[in-house]
Amino acid sequence: MDLLLYYHPLASFCHKVLIALYEQGNAFRGELVEPGNPASRAPLLDIWPVGKMPVLHDVRRGVAVPESTVIIEYLDQHHPGEVALIPADPDAARETRLWDRFFDLYVQQPMQKFVGDRLRGEQERDPRGVAEAAATLDTAYAMLEAHLAGREWAVAGEFTMADCAAAPALFYAGIVRPFPRGCDHLAGYFDRLMARPSVRRTYDEARPYFHLFPYRDAMPEHLLAPEAG
């Protein structure tokens, strides 16, 4: 197997890459890394001492590729699979990269502030930081509601890297900070993402680990139901 992915099935940035791999139909072997297990982490640290996931190891080419966006760019270049996740048109490609960064920086990151704060002890909580994260998410939701009007996907009428980023970002963000009432375009887009086979497969595989998520009690059960068929 040429492609080896170091990942954890609960991690949102890992979900982003898994969705891309499933969209492309690329064969790969997943290497589940247990964050608190030094033996499990050792192979990852050997090729990427920073230790953050996901990391893609292209065994045949002898290349270790970290960071979810860079991994998808790499796959599109060297293992394009069945679909291109970055459009060939330069303007559409630039817009794809913009919305990919939008979902990572303005949805994923503030969502992670909520999660990280809940994992802290009572004396270590950061209510001001959480309030700032909530404001960022509210701004992002409003921008997305306007952007998604009349669109099926985030960019160019096709499923792209931006949608790979959107699915995990919105999945978790919508749990810690539910979408406001009236965001019908955003809600419809999220429903389309969750119905996408690559996304459903990713969350079907993640389901056994959801009990570890600090906001598990807030997860809507209909999002966690196995795919029918």
Side-chain angles (χ1 to χ4, degrees):
M1 189 73 66
D2 286 347
L3 298 178
L4 174 63
L5 182 70
Y6 292 92
Y7 81 111
H8 190 279
L10 195 61
S12 54
F13 282 111
C14 295
H15 293 170
K16 175 178 166 181
V17 172
L18 287 168
I19 292 165
L21 285 163
Y22 294 147
E23 281 289 326
Q24 293 177 319
N26 268 317
F28 71 99
R29 179 164 64 88
E31 186 69 32
L32 194 155
V33 178
E34 300 175 28
N37 183 333
S40 177
R41 283 172 51 82
L44 169 63
L45 294 174
D46 283 345
I47 62 170
W48 185 240
V50 172
K52 288 190 175 183
M53 297 175 280
V55 173
L56 182 76
H57 184 196
D58 187 334
V59 178
R60 180 174 56 82
R61 300 186 75 244
V63 176
V65 187
E67 300 296 330
S68 59
T69 296
V70 180
I71 291 171
I72 296 173
E73 295 258 14
Y74 180 87
L75 289 170
D76 242 34
Q77 180 180 0
H78 295 288
H79 299 273
E82 298 172 2
V83 298
L85 293 172
I86 301 170
D89 176 77
D91 290 332
R94 183 181 63 252
E95 190 177 4
T96 296
R97 293 182 174 98
L98 166 63
W99 287 101
D100 169 80
R101 303 314 301 139
F102 182 93
F103 286 112
D104 282 2
L105 296 175
Y106 306 118
V107 182
Q108 288 253 36
Q109 285 193 6
M111 172 274 293
Q112 290 177 333
K113 179 64 179 179
F114 276 80
V115 174
D117 198 70
R118 180 165 283 199
L119 291 170
R120 293 177 171 182
E122 193 65 35
Q123 300 304 313
E124 299 176 311
R125 295 285 171 85
D126 179 16
R128 180 174 179 177
V130 171
E132 291 172 348
T136 299
L137 282 174
D138 289 346
T139 299
Y141 291 161
M143 291 177 66
L144 286 166
E145 177 65 13
H147 174 72
L148 292 166
R151 293 174 180 263
E152 182 179 12
W153 304 113
V155 177
E158 300 291 339
F159 192 95
T160 68
M161 177 172 67
D163 302 296
C164 295
L170 293 173
F171 180 86
Y172 284 123
I175 293 167
V176 305
R177 184 75 171 176
F179 307 152
R181 289 183 180 274
C183 284
D184 296 336
H185 300 305
L186 174 57
Y189 172 61
F190 179 67
D191 288 344
R192 289 191 294 277
L193 288 170
M194 292 306 300
R196 189 85 176 181
S198 60
V199 177
R200 291 300 305 176
R201 179 176 178 180
T202 297
Y203 286 103
D204 283 346
E205 293 171 352
R207 187 171 297 104
Y209 300 86
F210 280 147
H211 68 280
L212 300 173
F213 184 58
Y215 283 81
R216 174 61 181 85
D217 57 327
M219 283 185 163
E221 291 300 325
H222 75 277
L223 295 182
L224 308 180
E227 185 176 8

